[in-house]
Amino acid sequence: MASSSGTGWAQLRQQARSLETQTEALFHTYSQYAGLIKLPPKPSEDELRVEAQIQDILEKREALISQLTRLLDSESALTSSALKQNNLLRHREVLQEHRQELKRLSASISDARDRSNLLSNVRSDINAYHASNPEAAEADYMLSERQRIDNSHGMIDGVLSQAYAVNENFGIQRETLARVNRRITTAASQIPGINSLIGRIGAKKRRDGIVLGGFIAFCCLLFLYYL
């Protein structure tokens, strides 16, 4: 009897977990309707079908939980374990969470559909008004063009302001470098022997350049001679 009861419990729990996984997959599909930019005025057949499938699975899970409860109640205190009670409690909690999730998604889809319908109705009213009042439509067009031009001017002014700021920053940097150069020159003139040292370094560089140039010229002449 205990073995058959354990087998029945395992089978029912497996069915419950499978239905919970199916519910999660259907929630993923159902939630996509709430993210649509333009919903139809009435729910589509696919939307109604997914919602009905979720409702049906929730009812099946409720029935499975009732069977698990009766099976657990029929067991003696010795064979009934705390693990089974925790598993049953968890199935109930998940079912309650999924019922709340279905209500939340349904409300989100309904709100999205209302907003889409409202925008569609407003747009239709505006088009109808423009169709019946060509002069007003022309005035609205000119106003919108004027706004786009003003926005373009604002962007150009912003770019010019940034360019002026960068140019001013460059001027400040040039002045800073000039001051540093003047300070270095002044400090060099005040240190005895620094000018002669700089001159000797420059002369050595010129001498090295002349030697290197002569060597390159000699190599070129040698190459032309053997060619």
Side-chain angles (χ1 to χ4, degrees):
M1 180 65 180
S3 177
S4 61
S5 176
T7 303
W9 175 270
Q11 291 177 350
L12 292 175
R13 278 212 65 215
Q14 184 178 2
Q15 294 177 24
R17 288 195 298 268
S18 176
L19 291 177
E20 288 173 357
T21 303
Q22 294 179 34
T23 306
E24 294 287 349
L26 289 173
F27 274 153
H28 177 71
T29 303
Y30 192 56
S31 62
Q32 294 177 358
Y33 292 102
L36 293 178
I37 299 176
K38 186 176 181 181
L39 281 171
K42 294 183 179 180
S44 63
E45 293 182 359
D46 291 338
E47 180 182 343
L48 294 175
R49 177 179 54 80
V50 173
E51 184 177 2
Q53 287 178 344
I54 295 175
Q55 290 283 7
D56 182 60
I57 290 179
L58 292 178
E59 295 300 328
K60 291 180 179 178
R61 288 168 57 187
E62 181 72 32
L64 283 174
I65 290 176
S66 298
Q67 294 182 41
L68 288 171
T69 302
R70 289 193 299 269
L71 188 60
L72 187 62
D73 292 340
S74 65
E75 294 182 357
S76 63
L78 297 176
T79 58
S80 177
S81 64
L83 179 60
K84 289 184 178 181
Q85 295 176 1
N86 291 334
N87 290 336
L88 180 58
L89 179 61
R90 182 54 187 162
H91 285 306
R92 287 174 178 168
E93 292 175 349
V94 174
L95 177 61
Q96 182 63 25
E97 292 173 359
H98 284 174
R99 289 190 184 279
Q100 294 176 356
E101 180 68 10
L102 177 60
K103 291 180 181 180
R104 186 189 68 80
L105 289 176
S106 298
S108 298
I109 294 174
S110 179
D111 293 341
R113 177 169 285 107
D114 292 340
R115 288 194 300 270
S116 179
N117 292 339
L118 178 61
L119 291 175
S120 179
N121 293 333
V122 171
R123 193 176 296 108
S124 299
D125 293 340
I126 293 174
N127 293 335
Y129 174 75
H130 287 167
S132 60
N133 298 275
E135 295 179 356
E138 182 68 20
D140 290 341
Y141 173 77
M142 296 301 295
L143 287 175
S144 62
E145 287 296 321
R146 177 64 182 178
Q147 184 177 5
R148 281 194 287 268
I149 293 174
D150 292 340
N151 292 336
S152 299
H153 288 169
M155 293 176 60
I156 294 173
D157 292 340
V159 172
L160 290 176
S161 299
Q162 294 178 1
Y164 290 144
V166 171
N167 187 30
E168 183 179 359
N169 190 20
F170 283 160
I172 295 174
Q173 292 180 3
R174 284 195 300 269
E175 181 63 25
T176 301
L177 292 175
R179 287 199 302 268
V180 171
N181 188 28
R182 287 194 297 269
R183 290 179 181 178
I184 293 175
T185 304
T186 303
S189 62
Q190 293 177 356
I191 298 176
I194 191 67
N195 290 329
S196 61
L197 179 60
I198 294 175
R200 287 197 299 271
I201 293 174
K204 186 177 184 301
K205 287 184 177 179
R206 288 192 297 270
R207 185 172 62 253
D208 293 342
I210 293 172
V211 172
L212 180 61
F215 178 73
I216 293 174
F218 174 76
C219 291
C220 291
L221 292 174
L222 190 63
F223 175 75
L224 293 174
Y225 176 77
Y226 284 104
L227 185 62

